[in-house]
Amino acid sequence: MPGSALADELRSLGFEVRPAATPSDTAAALALVPADQRVAVVDGEFVGHVHALRLALTDPRFDACAVTGAFAVQPGARAALDRAAALDASAPVGHGTYPDRLAAAVEAAGTPVHRPELGTLVAAVPATVEERRAATAAVAAVDEEAVRLRTAVKSRDGFFTTFFISPYSRYIARWCARRGLTPNQVTTASLITALIAAGCAATGDRWGYVASGVLLLVSFVLDCTDGQLARYSLQYSTMGAWLDATFDRAKEYSFYAGLALGAARNGDDVWALALGAMILMTCRHVVDFAFNEANHDATANTSPTAALSDKLDSVGWTVWVRRMIILPIGERWAMIAVLIAFTTPRIVFYALLVGCAFGALYTTAGRVLRSLTRKAKRTDRAAQALADLADSGPVAELTGRAIGRMAPGAGIAAAVIGSGALLWAAWAHTFGSRQVIVAAVFYALLAGAAVARPLKGALDWLVPPVFRAAEYTTVLILAAKADVPGALPAAFGLVAAVAYHHYDTVYRIRGGTGAPPHWLVRTIGGHEGRVLLTAVLAYVLASRATDFPVALTALAVFVALVVLVESIRFWVSSGAPAVHDEGEPA
């Protein structure tokens, strides 16, 4: 339209603008654009905010995206657009704008079209002068930048993050965007800051503890900023998904190691507490992941407990109390930063263990009640996700095939019995005892039985976290029982390497591409294979326990190398999904 700034707005979003007067001209123009490029069709009479166009035309997470009067596709949906344009060019003019008709045709052909929620933003194609005047006035009445800043922040987050970080971190995100910084660069800066914080904590000096607390909070601010920057500028990427999904855990667990090293310099051995905190945190996350995977697409997914939860969420103050008591990452890191500045690593770990244990019991109990009171039918996809999260290796596969299908609900019973027997044997007997190997074999047999039947029972989502707790805690107990220097730090490294594999599995499943390749799970033994190997190593090295840390370290290095190489290959590949979790705060 004469006097319209639309062309300049599109160029500011990175597009080359090519005018087309008719549907036939548009089809011809599309044919000239290489198939590997994003392309958009925008009505020349479009009136709206630039950010509405940005949301519709530049979001890399969706193959096809549209608002009124504007439609964009990535290479994955390009063929569908070309077919729709060819059909529309030869058909009589229908109702609605041309981009709207193309979007409807592409969606009807089977390609999902994302339509972003605009809220107060305007996207319209006025039919009359009066409508154009009204739309222009509506555009002027909305502070587009304020909307963009507000929507850069997660709609659901913890109390500390919402009230103490996000009010200013969003402006840091805008500052980064205007200087061309990417979310990946901010994420990397957050990791480096956290590692420096861990190094300061490892000094064991009071100044180091104070500095580590300050740097940990700075790292968390940057951690919030990277996601806000991605939402502010729509700079989503597969690499960013991988970095954001894994660096939080790497930062936190590295800080645990730094605290343990600092305490050791002062003669206080807290490696068992550090490993216990990491185990508790990882198992808690696995509970979250497994429950969500089991229930997000379940049918008849209602229960009185869920209704009560929804009712509590309707009362403002209860929302924040319930988010705080589970000790999400913001509250957790704030607590660590304050405590380490004024107390000792041992007190920090005691507080972590008590707080996280309470949060884990609270959330798990609520989910168990929901599962028992709802009448949900779980899908094959959910059952497969739980089987992948179980991380069963060759031994469990063989025993599962030999045992065959068990009664419904027997999976969680087998997992609990096998895990209980294993942990009792490891705790009750001396280091290197033959009974621990017998218990590990029994655990492996029941691990196969647990997954022999599709995990569709009401509580079968508990199978993966039970296995995680059994494996990790067995490593902790055996390292503690060895009672030699270096055993617990080596166990910490082994559990960290295995935990990375389990987190990597979760985020691949969330991205819709399924679990890691089965050869990887078999190569690193599966959870039951690693338990068996650890028990055998303890038995073989019972007479020279000083070699046990070396064996655990070698196993940790092997697992880490295999898992990291495959993980990096996957996440930097073009086929990896962009995972952006906006759900429960971690």
Side-chain angles (χ1 to χ4, degrees), residues 90-188:
S90 61
V93 176
H95 296 290
T97 70
Y98 180 60
D100 293 345
R101 298 201 306 270
L102 289 180
V106 167
E107 193 164 37
T111 299
V113 176
H114 175 72
R115 290 177 170 80
E117 295 184 10
L118 297 182
T120 57
L121 297 176
V122 177
V125 180
T128 65
V129 174
E130 287 300 321
E131 289 180 359
R132 174 170 291 275
R133 187 177 295 115
T136 302
V139 170
V142 175
D143 186 343
E144 178 179 9
E145 182 62 17
V147 172
R148 192 178 175 190
L149 280 171
R150 185 177 68 250
T151 54
V153 178
K154 273 185 178 183
S155 59
R156 178 182 175 84
D157 222 328
F159 179 86
F160 180 77
T161 305
T162 299
F163 293 102
F164 292 91
I165 304 296
S166 293
Y168 58 88
S169 62
R170 68 185 75 183
Y171 296 101
I172 300 175
R174 181 173 67 181
W175 183 89
C176 293
R178 291 178 175 177
R179 282 153 184 80
L181 297 176
T182 67
N184 292 353
Q185 291 170 332
V186 178
T187 302
T188 304

